[in-house]
Amino acid sequence: MKLLFFCHGSRASSPLPGFIFFLTFYVHKMESATFTVIGSRDPVTAILGQDTVLPCHLSPRMSAANMEVRWFRPEYLSFVHLYHDGKDQDEGQMPEYWGRTELSKAGLTDGNVPLRILSIRVSDEGQYSCFVKDDTFYEETVLELQVAALGSAPLISVEGHQDGGIRVVCRSAGWYPEPEVLWKDLNGQHLPSLSETKSRGDNNLFDTETAIVVKEQSNQNLSCCIRNTVLNQEKESAVYIADPFFPRVNSWMVALSLILMVLFVCLIGLVIYHFKTKDKRDQEIRWRKHVAPIEEANVTLDPDSAHPELVLSEDGKSVRGSDTRQDLPNNPERFDTVPCVLGCEGFTSGRHCWEVEVGGGQGWAVGVARESVKKKREISFSPEEGIWAVQWRWDRFWALTSPKSPLSLGQVPSRIRVCLDCDRGQVTFFNAGDQAPIFTFPPSSVPGERIRPWLYVWRGSQLTLCP
């Protein structure tokens, strides 16, 4: 360390007090600087929709259990995850990471502070700061997160004559980042494309379309290859253009053949779709005749079980999530950690059903729970904890299996029908609008004990039990 002194004659003020302060601060900092925060030098690659871990640890290894661990981007105060005073802190967390981050406590005593991000989105891509602070010292490091997604297999279609050859088009969707698209011949040599367009949809994923003109006796065997350069993975489809497809003197015959082939393929597709739809409908009818509940349950909500941040209507038919915690008795039946509420009614036998109007909001879940479900601590929404439900959260619809399963629906239902068969130990959810099945927990999933309706309501959401 170099120290610089400046003298300006006898009338200059003495630099001694400032120097003593600087030296004291520097020595104090050097005595406190007992660790370095280390992350990953290379970008961390995450697959869209999957979970990923951003590594971070202290060197030398020491316990971080009593330190502050803050992950943020891009500003310190708007944090992705905060661990402080020996526990995770939710107040102030960026809304897009609610319920999607975890800091493993198992490695804290060894200085391991990695961040797990659940269900990776395109918007998660970018830089993250791992910040660790004890009473007198802090350090941080910056990591880069890359998001990648493999799209659909290339779909090759023949789309008529052009420039004395056959125009062939290759399409694919759902790639991230922007993919590399190549035409190849039988020997793997690259072929020049006629045109290439790439577009970005509402989901921020890339769709691609490329065309090539194939001439007779020239590269009639060809393939379309789409590569994700981040993952170094690709998807490829091949096609062979037979001689009869190329233009002749009677080119209208080729066009007619193409039209007939397309019509034939469409006809086959319609027939297959018809039989699949009919089979699905027949299965649904058979299921309803055998399983569908026959007793409509008049469900009301139990105010003694409602979390203090839930506001119930006077008739017990509606509940909404609030930012304000009410001053309510902490009786044994009340949920005190997660915003849940049970129905007053309990069932041990027979078949019962009821409907819930779910509306909008940022998060909610509808289903059933054991009467003995834990209420005084954090719980996992899963059958192991005594909960069977479907959930809307993070702009996605889930079945709360273990682990939870994403559900692909055309649109989120505005009203959900819950059907409980106590004798078979089965619970099923329907879209009450068109009566289409949403998800079924199979027979013997629900144990033979008292089961009650169960709702989870996040802030700003509202659920209503339908008459």
Side-chain angles (χ1 to χ4, degrees), residues 414-445:
S414 60
R415 182 181 291 192
I416 293 179
R417 183 175 179 84
V418 184
C419 299
L420 172 66
D421 189 334
C422 296
D423 300 329
R424 302 187 72 205
Q426 176 175 305
V427 60
T428 302
F429 301 89
F430 296 92
N431 182 338
D434 58 10
Q435 297 302 310
I438 296 174
F439 185 79
T440 297
F441 288 90
S444 302
S445 297

Side-chain angles (χ1 to χ4, degrees), residues 372-386:
S372 61
V373 65
K374 292 183 175 62
K375 305 175 181 68
K376 298 302 182 184
R377 63 173 181 81
E378 290 281 356
I379 58 174
S380 170
F381 296 165
S382 66
E384 287 76 12
E385 291 280 1

Side-chain angles (χ1 to χ4, degrees), residues 270-283:
L270 287 173
V271 172
I272 293 174
Y273 175 78
H274 170 75
F275 281 105
K276 282 188 175 181
T277 304
K278 183 177 182 300
D279 183 63
K280 181 178 180 181
R281 181 61 61 183
D282 291 343
Q283 289 180 3

Side-chain angles (χ1 to χ4, degrees), residues 11 20 32 48 68 77 86 139 149 177 192 211 347 379 402 443 447 456:
R11 290 190 296 177
I20 292 175
S32 304
L48 185 69
E68 175 184 319
L77 294 179
E139 278 288 352
F347 309 105
I379 58 174
S402 182
Y456 163 84

Side-chain angles (χ1 to χ4, degrees), residues 35 37 56 58 64 67-70 113 130-134 137-140:
F35 62 84
V37 179
C56 186
L58 304 183
M67 298 183 183
E68 175 184 319
V69 179
R70 181 186 295 259
V113 291
C130 177
F131 173 95
V132 183
K133 175 180 176 295
D134 64 8
F137 181 75
Y138 68 86
E139 278 288 352
E140 68 178 291

Side-chain angles (χ1 to χ4, degrees), residues 49 119 389-394 396-400 404-407:
S119 188
V390 292
Q391 180 186 45
W392 170 257
R393 191 76 193 272
W394 315 311
R396 296 188 68 181
F397 205 45
W398 307 84
L400 297 182
K404 62 184 179 181
S405 307
L407 298 176

Side-chain angles (χ1 to χ4, degrees), residues 308-325:
E309 292 182 1
L310 298 184
V311 180
L312 272 62
S313 62
E314 292 185 3
D315 60 0
K317 288 290 188 178
S318 180
V319 57
R320 64 179 175 87
S322 170
D323 294 330
T324 304
R325 189 179 182 92

Side-chain angles (χ1 to χ4, degrees), residues 200-351:
R200 202 163 181 176
D202 295 337
N203 56 5
N204 285 322
L205 302 182
F206 286 94
D207 301 340
T208 180
E209 178 179 312
T210 181
I212 191 173
V213 172
V214 180
K215 304 246 178 121
E216 191 174 9
Q217 306 302 326
S218 174
N219 302 317
Q220 292 178 229
N221 282 290
L222 73 159
S223 64
C224 177
C225 176
I226 305 181
R227 171 180 289 273
N228 185 307
T229 55
V230 173
L231 298 175
N232 197 27
Q233 297 183 36
E234 63 185 33
K235 291 189 176 182
E236 185 174 7
S237 296
V239 67
Y240 172 73
I241 309 299
D243 292 341
F245 284 95
F246 289 93
R248 295 288 188 273
V249 176
N250 295 325
S251 58
W252 63 271
M253 290 296 294
V254 178
L256 179 61
S257 299
L258 286 172
I259 293 173
L260 291 175
M261 179 177 291
V262 171
L263 291 175
F264 180 70
V265 171
C266 292
L267 179 62
I268 293 177
L270 287 173
V271 172
I272 293 174
Y273 175 78
H274 170 75
F275 281 105
K276 282 188 175 181
T277 304
K278 183 177 182 300
D279 183 63
K280 181 178 180 181
R281 181 61 61 183
D282 291 343
Q283 289 180 3
E284 181 181 335
I285 292 173
R286 289 194 300 270
W287 187 94
R288 289 182 183 279
K289 288 182 178 179
H290 182 67
V291 180
I294 57 175
E295 180 181 339
E296 295 291 333
N298 183 18
V299 177
T300 56
L301 301 176
D302 180 8
D304 291 334
S305 69
H307 186 275
E309 292 182 1
L310 298 184
V311 180
L312 272 62
S313 62
E314 292 185 3
D315 60 0
K317 288 290 188 178
S318 180
V319 57
R320 64 179 175 87
S322 170
D323 294 330
T324 304
R325 189 179 182 92
Q326 305 173 82
D327 185 14
L328 298 175
N330 188 21
N331 48 284
E333 298 83 10
R334 190 178 306 282
F335 290 94
D336 66 354
T337 305
V338 254
C340 302
V341 61
L342 293 174
C344 293
E345 296 72 22
F347 309 105
T348 56
S349 63
R351 299 170 182 172

